[in-house]
Amino acid sequence: MRDRQVSRDARRAREFEAFVAGAAGRLQHTATLFTAEAPGANPRARRLLTLALAHTYACWDRLRGDDPYECARQYLATRFAHGTWHERVLLGRARPHPGSPLAVLTAQERLILVLRMYEGVAEEQTAALLGLPVERVHAICDRATATVLHPPRTTAPRVVGAEVAPS
C-alpha cells in the first residue's frame, strides 16, 4: 500500500513538473501584464505566479482531465482582482510601472484586456470569472483597447519667459 502511494506521488510530481516547464513562462508573462510591472522587476507578478502554481498543485488530483493551465490562469486572475482591491483600497499602493504601456489602465481594465486579448478568453467566460455582465466586460475591453491604442495626451510644459531666436 505504501509503495502505491509513493508511486502515485512520484507520478503526480513528474506530471506537475512537466506542466510547470511548459506553462510557467506564459503564466509569468500574463501575471506581469496584469500587474503592469517591468519584466525584469516584477515581484508582485512572481508572487501571483507562485500562488497560482501552489493552488494548481493542491488541486492536481481533482483536475481529472480538466486543463491545469485554465485552473492556474483562473486562480491568477481572481487572486489579482482581489489582491488589487485590497492593496489599493486598504494599503494605498499597487502602482504599475510608469514605463508600461498598460500603466494608463486601471487594474480591472488591465485584467479584462489581458484575459480577452492576450489569453483569448471569451467574453462570456471572462464575465463569469469576474462576476460581471457580458456587456460590461465588452465595454471595459473596448475602452481599454482604445486607451492603449490612443493614449491620453499630456500637455507639453510651458516655458515662461523664453524667447525663440530668429533663424
Side-chain angles (χ1 to χ4, degrees):
M1 185 71 148
R2 176 86 176 135
D3 292 338
R4 187 181 306 163
Q5 180 68 31
V6 169
S7 173
R8 187 176 21 204
D9 288 346
R11 181 178 44 83
R12 177 183 188 208
R14 282 192 310 271
E15 290 173 353
F16 184 74
E17 286 172 8
F19 163 71
V20 170
R26 184 172 176 118
L27 287 169
Q28 175 71 34
H29 190 67
T30 300
T32 303
L33 290 173
F34 283 162
T35 60
E37 294 175 306
N42 52 2
R44 289 179 56 229
R46 287 193 311 263
R47 179 164 168 69
L48 276 172
L49 177 64
T50 302
L51 292 170
L53 291 176
H55 173 77
T56 304
Y57 185 73
C59 297
W60 194 260
D61 290 335
R62 290 182 301 219
L63 289 175
R64 293 193 185 126
D66 290 341
D67 185 13
Y69 184 83
E70 179 69 23
C71 175
R73 182 180 60 210
Q74 283 181 357
Y75 187 82
L76 194 71
T78 55
R79 184 70 185 213
F80 172 75
H82 293 288
T84 299
W85 178 87
H86 177 76
E87 288 178 1
R88 183 178 56 85
V89 172
L90 301 178
L91 303 176
R93 46 178 216 221
R95 303 195 198 300
H97 184 267
S100 170
L102 300 179
V104 296
L105 302 176
T106 66
Q108 186 181 47
E109 289 172 337
R110 278 196 314 269
L111 179 63
I112 289 173
L113 186 70
V114 171
L115 285 174
R116 293 279 300 120
M117 300 301 164
Y118 180 71
E119 287 291 324
V121 179
E123 279 182 355
E124 294 80 14
Q125 288 177 307
T126 303
L129 178 66
L130 301 176
L132 297 171
V134 176
E135 297 80 19
R136 180 83 175 127
V137 169
H138 182 78
I140 291 171
C141 188
D142 284 350
R143 183 177 63 231
T145 303
T147 303
V148 169
L149 293 176
H150 308 288
R153 292 184 179 169
T154 57
T155 57
R158 283 185 47 191
V159 179
V160 179
E163 296 180 20
V164 178
S167 28

